[in-house]
Structure formats: C-alpha cells, structure tokens
Amino acid sequence: MTADQKNSGSCCTTDGSCHSGVTTVYKVSGMTCGHCEGAVTEEISALTGVTAVKAVATTGEVTVTSTTPLAEETIRAAIEEAGYELTTTA
C-alpha cells in the first residue's frame, strides 16, 4: 500500500492561514460521526510536522498535510490510538 502523496506547494485556507508541504489522503474504517472525525483529527494533529487534518466520516477519508512525508506506520498508529483502522490510501 502506497500513500497518495503530492507536493501541494502553497495553499491558503479561507481563514487566511497558509501551509505548504505534502498532502496525503487515507481511508479509515469505523468513523461514523463528528465525534469520530474529531478523535482522528486530534490524534493525527499531534504528530510532528502535521499542519492540517480533515477527517470526513461519510467518505472515510482523512486528508493530512504535513511539512514532509509521514511514515505510514506513524499515521496508522495515530489512527489506531483514536480507535479506528487505516484501511488503505485513497
């Protein structure tokens, strides 16, 4: 399983904050609600180098932006700590 990573260059959000780096989309099983999204987001956000996280329960996708590529094992451990399972990369 390989990560779907791309150099996102510079990306400014609607609130005016900017970040750059690598964006990776992961598929996570078990997320069913906003609480699930928050738990996954909290665990991944705590990882060194992570600048943005967006978890969407309805699609099971978690989009992570980081300053450098993250090891899949690191992401997997954070998702499991939140109580969910990394199933694949999108």
Side-chain angles (χ1 to χ4, degrees):
M1 177 166 39
T2 62
D4 176 21
Q5 298 176 334
K6 62 181 178 180
N7 185 343
S8 61
S10 177
C11 179
C12 294
T13 62
T14 56
D15 68 0
S17 64
C18 294
H19 54 85
S20 62
V22 177
T23 299
T24 309
V25 179
Y26 301 94
K27 292 291 273 182
V28 176
S29 67
M31 293 192 304
T32 60
C33 65
H35 172 77
C36 302
E37 293 169 348
V40 169
T41 297
E42 181 178 346
E43 289 297 331
I44 295 174
S45 292
L47 299 175
T48 301
V50 171
T51 58
V53 179
K54 181 177 182 181
V56 180
T58 55
T59 63
E61 291 187 347
V62 178
T63 303
V64 179
T65 303
S66 57
T67 55
T68 60
L70 300 169
E72 187 173 308
E73 299 78 28
T74 301
I75 292 294
R76 182 179 305 281
I79 291 169
E80 289 177 357
E81 182 66 26
Y84 304 94
E85 180 183 358
L86 175 65
T87 57
T88 185
T89 53

